[in-house]
Amino acid sequence: MAGKLYLCATPIGNLEDITLRVLRVLKEVDLIAAEDTRNSIKLLNHFEIKTPLTSYHEYNKIEKAYSLVEKMRDGQNVALITDAGTPAISDPGEDLVRICYEEGIEVTSLPGAAACVTALTLSGLPARRFSFEAFLPREKKERAAILEELRDDTRTLIVYEAPHHLISTLKDLKSVLGERRISVCRELTKKHETVFRTTFSEAVSYYEQTGVRGECVIVIEGRDRADLIRKERESWEDLTVEEHMAYYTDGGMDRKEAMKQVARDRGVGKRDIYQQLCQRN
């Protein structure tokens, strides 16, 4: 029988956060694939895990994925771990998972620590709906495009950032999203864990004076839904009712449905739109 891929969540700081199930599986599998073997060997030594270790990272992720698949086809079970947290989240493990499914290899995930969820629950911001962006692209054009997509998102937004890029990222976020409430979470689960509930402007001012240490997760309040609706209505009101109708009918919508949509856009009843159209005809 073919082996299986186990996605094993590891601590993001505090070693006590590893689960009993992960410890058992890491001892029982035939091979552990790790993003950075030098980092992971410290974890394995701490828990006296002697399972053979191999590297799986961004620069060998496709070639090594097929090599691991062959081992699983031969009956070996493989555990995948990342430097910290849950594999495949902002991590090359997503490619290994995809290739395993394409090649008919069974995959299972062992839940545990994840910096994005930990930060969200600590942030004090709405947690029912959220969007996870991980690290924003460094390339300027792609970064600008992603930020523009996020401008009107009403969900709470989660972004990862390294300490040496934090201030510039906060400035970029503010320039596109506008002033927002945020929580900057640092050194999660570690001795010096901090949650700084603030705004973009205040955070920039603070970190320019104090400097930044430790990996950061920025949790950002979503766009206010009422404000977004108001702005949308204001933009529609720049059009005449006839122009607004034409926007939909020119796109193939029948006149009756267009009238309903125009009424929704403007926050009025369909009868109001009908009467305005009749008066102008």
Side-chain angles (χ1 to χ4, degrees):
M1 292 179 62
K4 184 188 294 187
L5 176 67
Y6 294 84
L7 306 176
C8 294
T10 53
I12 59 177
N14 192 318
L15 292 180
E16 294 179 359
D17 290 335
I18 200 163
T19 70
L20 294 175
R21 185 182 175 203
V22 167
L23 287 175
R24 175 180 60 78
V25 167
L26 291 179
K27 291 175 181 177
E28 292 178 352
V29 293
D30 300 288
L31 182 66
I32 298 172
E35 185 176 10
D36 185 338
T37 55
R38 295 167 300 179
N39 181 65
S40 296
I41 195 65
K42 299 173 187 176
L43 175 74
L44 300 184
N45 286 341
H46 179 83
F47 290 107
E48 299 181 348
I49 296 170
K50 308 298 184 183
T51 306
L53 194 63
T54 189
S55 65
Y56 178 80
H57 49 71
E58 183 66 29
Y59 303 103
N60 72 352
K61 62 183 182 180
I62 302 302
E63 179 184 0
K64 191 60 173 282
Y66 285 104
S67 172
L68 293 172
V69 164
E70 286 304 312
K71 293 181 184 299
M72 286 181 275
R73 278 202 177 120
D74 290 338
Q76 293 190 42
N77 290 314
V78 176
L80 177 67
I81 60 177
T82 185
D83 280 351
T86 301
I89 296 180
S90 186
D91 173 81
E94 65 179 311
D95 293 284
L96 178 56
V97 172
R98 172 180 54 81
I99 290 169
C100 280
Y101 281 126
E102 290 172 353
E103 299 296 322
I105 299 297
E106 186 178 354
V107 180
T108 190
S109 182
L110 283 61
C116 55
V117 174
T118 304
L120 176 65
T121 58
L122 280 172
S123 69
L125 294 170
R128 188 176 67 84
R129 299 172 63 249
F130 63 93
S131 173
F132 175 57
E133 281 298 320
F135 289 92
L136 293 172
R138 298 250 66 88
E139 195 277 318
K140 288 185 178 180
K141 188 174 182 180
E142 184 181 3
R143 187 182 182 91
I146 294 294
L147 287 173
E148 190 60 36
E149 289 177 10
L150 298 174
R151 180 195 296 272
D152 293 331
D153 196 333
T154 59
R155 296 170 295 180
T156 299
L157 173 64
I158 305 171
V159 174
Y160 287 167
E161 193 50 275
H164 55 288
H165 289 307
L166 179 65
I167 292 173
S168 62
T169 293
L170 289 171
K171 289 179 177 178
D172 288 348
L173 286 163
K174 180 180 182 296
S175 70
V176 177
L177 305 184
E179 191 69 282
R180 301 269 182 100
R181 291 186 302 154
I182 65 172
S183 290
V184 181
C185 304
R186 296 175 47 257
E187 298 289 86
L188 288 170
T189 77
K190 300 178 184 177
K191 182 178 180 180
H192 299 293
E193 172 184 280
T194 62
V195 179
F196 183 23
R197 287 170 49 78
T198 181
T199 63
F200 284 131
S201 297
E202 290 174 352
V204 168
S205 177
Y206 176 79
Y207 289 121
E208 283 181 336
Q209 294 179 44
T210 65
V212 189
R213 292 183 180 180
E215 297 299 313
C216 303
V217 183
I218 312 166
V219 186
I220 307 157
E221 72 173 339
R223 176 77 182 270
D224 182 79
R225 184 179 295 276
D227 178 63
L228 181 59
I229 292 171
R230 180 177 58 81
K231 288 291 179 67
E232 287 178 345
R233 286 179 179 171
E234 287 177 355
S235 66
W236 288 124
E237 287 169 1
D238 290 338
L239 301 177
T240 65
V241 173
E242 289 85 354
E243 290 170 337
H244 199 162
M245 284 286 294
Y247 174 82
Y248 291 114
T249 56
D250 289 351
M253 188 180 289
D254 69 54
R255 189 170 177 81
K256 184 176 180 180
E257 286 302 313
M259 201 176 299
K260 291 180 182 178
Q261 187 59 52
V262 169
R264 282 194 290 266
D265 291 345
R266 290 175 175 257
V268 299
K270 186 179 72 170
R271 180 178 293 277
D272 294 327
I273 300 301
Y274 176 75
Q275 289 175 346
Q276 288 186 54
L277 291 171
C278 288
Q279 289 172 1
R280 299 185 185 190
N281 289 332

